[in-house]
Amino acid sequence: QVQVVESGGATVQAGGFLRLSCVAHGLAICRTSAPAWYREAPGKEREFVASLTTNMDSNTTNEDSTQGRFTIFRGVATNTAYLQMNSLRPEDTAMYYCKITCLTLAGAWSYYWGQGTRVTVSS
């Protein structure tokens, strides 16, 4: 079982920045794994924000909602990923979730979510 822990959420003023962290424990059960960030604003569906490929050499970002302000990257520790969020706007207010896609040793795809970290951007 993979456990996913997010942190770094806070209340900031518009124009500010935050760096969210995602730490995955138990990745030994995965042949390979990849992190992604999603967010869920009040009254809205959960939406994709950004992801890294399994070899961490490229990323995909939802430019429609982030407009180049967010960057996902891997930490020095291979079980850690970050979401750098700059020029925050009130519409970025949401619960942010980290999802780990895991190709298990048995060859099955599994997905693990954290409990989320709350970001509130005040105007």
Side-chain angles (χ1 to χ4, degrees):
Q1 188 79 0
V2 175
Q3 292 184 323
V4 182
V5 181
E6 306 98 331
S7 62
T11 297
V12 298
Q13 289 190 332
F17 62 92
L18 283 174
R19 178 175 293 183
L20 305 183
S21 301
C22 171
V23 180
H25 302 281
L27 291 177
I29 69 168
C30 305
R31 291 185 196 177
T32 185
S33 63
W37 285 97
Y38 287 73
R39 68 184 183 184
E40 189 171 323
K44 295 187 178 180
E45 292 187 353
R46 191 172 296 189
E47 69 169 354
F48 168 78
V49 176
S51 65
L52 283 171
T53 56
T54 54
N55 56 4
M56 307 292 190
D57 66 348
S58 66
N59 65 77
T60 301
T61 305
N62 182 346
E63 291 298 334
D64 286 342
S65 58
T66 65
Q67 288 103 41
R69 300 175 295 122
F70 293 5
T71 303
I72 183 172
F73 61 98
R74 181 178 66 91
V76 174
T78 56
N79 67 335
T80 304
Y82 299 94
L83 183 68
Q84 179 69 37
M85 305 188 297
N86 299 326
S87 302
L88 283 163
R89 304 168 180 170
E91 53 264 38
D92 296 318
T93 295
M95 186 72 85
Y96 284 73
Y97 296 92
C98 181
K99 171 187 165 185
I100 299 296
T101 298
C102 165
L103 178 60
T104 68
L105 299 176
W109 290 101
S110 295
Y111 307 92
Y112 301 92
W113 293 87
Q115 294 299 307
T117 186
R118 186 172 300 279
V119 173
T120 302
V121 184
S122 60
S123 57

